Amino acid sequence: MGKIAPSILSADFARLGEQVEAISRGGADFVHVDVMDGHFVPNISFGSAVMKSLNKVETAPYDVHLMIENPDAYLGDFVTDKTEYIVVHQEACRHLHRTVQNIKSHGVKAGVALNPATPVSSLECILEDLDLVLVMSVNPGFGGQKFIPQAVEKIKELDQIRKEKGYDFQIEIDGGINLDNAKMVMEAGCDIFVAGSAVFKAENLEERMHEFKKILSE
Ligand code: DX5
Ligand code: ZN
């Protein structure tokens, strides 16, 4: 059964608390928190203060996706009782092993994201230390982009490696996921599905969550 992590990047920020409660009621497994700095990606989203404001409402645990340069300087700001994963980009970390250890030292699970042009082999030496690998199926920076199909091959490759080596990292996909392609990606071996516009642009968020949950449980 696949897990769903709606991305609040596509939420209505004027109604953020209410919308996060709705997706959590609808069965969200994680709240996907997209942090962008205008340097690593060509867009600025929001910082830890916005995420922490959600601590006041009933939410699923946070899955924090840091699309920022120098993540070591900021990742401590994103550690809360509700933070399950902190995910950094392979391309943004000069000393990736150190960054992963840094995340774990906060008692949080560590993930690494791969841009569409970054191969799975770039993680070969660190896969056994990871709790999660996030495969980007769009170029990071914006919600609402078209799914890049080559991501499916990366999911299959990661799934095969973890079976062969007995690793237990989760595989997450992010970008362009919708009700039509989620099942196919799950069959490739994916565990966690980020969906931004496909959830938050729906008329009824709770109902949309039920639709996703149904597809991911079949
Ligand atoms: C893209 C972000 C994604 C984005 C997904 O840089 O990392 O999490 O919000 O949005 P959709 O599902 O609309 O592609
Ligand atoms: Zn994301």
Side-chain angles (χ1 to χ4, degrees):
M1 171 145 171
K3 295 184 178 141
I4 176 135
S7 162
I8 56 172
L9 186 66
S10 297
D12 174 353
F13 292 139
R15 299 164 60 210
L16 187 58
E18 181 193 316
Q19 292 200 332
V20 166
E21 282 183 316
I23 54 142
S24 300
R25 263 199 318 273
D29 295 284
F30 302 103
V31 174
H32 186 78
V33 178
D34 280 315
V35 180
M36 303 179 180
D37 66 352
H39 293 277
F40 179 66
V41 290
N43 194 10
I44 297 175
S45 57
F46 48 76
S48 60
V50 169
M51 186 192 89
K52 284 176 176 160
S53 70
L54 294 173
N55 286 346
K56 285 181 267 173
V57 302
E58 284 289 316
T59 75
Y62 306 141
D63 156 33
V64 181
H65 180 191
L66 295 180
M67 287 163 276
I68 64 175
E69 299 286 359
N70 193 17
D72 291 83
Y74 303 98
L75 58 86
D77 296 344
F78 292 89
V79 176
T80 71
D81 289 350
K82 292 184 176 183
T83 308
E84 178 118 359
Y85 291 103
I86 292 182
V87 181
V88 293
H89 266 264
Q90 188 272 5
E91 306 83 2
C93 296
R94 189 169 289 166
H95 302 285
L96 184 59
H97 186 274
R98 179 180 290 149
T99 305
V100 165
Q101 300 310 316
N102 193 3
I103 296 170
K104 290 184 170 181
S105 74
H106 288 281
V108 172
K109 293 178 185 162
V112 175
L114 295 176
N115 278 340
T118 308
V120 166
S121 59
S122 66
L123 297 182
E124 192 183 336
C125 299
I126 200 168
L127 269 183
E128 65 185 299
D129 294 323
L130 299 184
D131 298 302
L132 179 142
V133 178
L134 188 163
V135 174
M136 289 303 305
S137 40
V138 297
N139 286 295
F142 304 93
Q145 302 181 79
K146 200 166 165 283
F147 184 79
I148 298 172
Q150 287 93 318
V152 180
E153 290 310 310
K154 279 193 198 172
I155 302 269
K156 287 184 186 163
E157 197 181 337
L158 282 161
D159 189 39
Q160 195 180 341
I161 294 173
R162 76 177 161 180
K163 280 180 183 144
E164 276 171 17
K165 306 248 183 186
Y167 297 158
D168 60 1
F169 56 82
Q170 295 279 287
I171 303 175
E172 181 173 42
I173 190 132
D174 185 2
I177 288 294
N178 55 43
L179 292 170
D180 297 324
N181 60 16
K183 182 95 200 283
M184 171 269 293
V185 179
M186 185 167 70
E187 283 165 358
C190 189
D191 308 295
I192 306 176
F193 298 78
V194 177
S197 42
V199 169
F200 285 99
K201 301 302 174 211
E203 204 128 295
N204 183 317
L205 301 188
E206 221 176 315
E207 257 172 41
R208 179 53 54 88
M209 288 302 300
H210 292 149
E211 289 173 301
F212 264 110
K213 296 288 277 188
K214 186 163 182 296
I215 286 171
L216 297 176
S217 67
E218 280 164 358

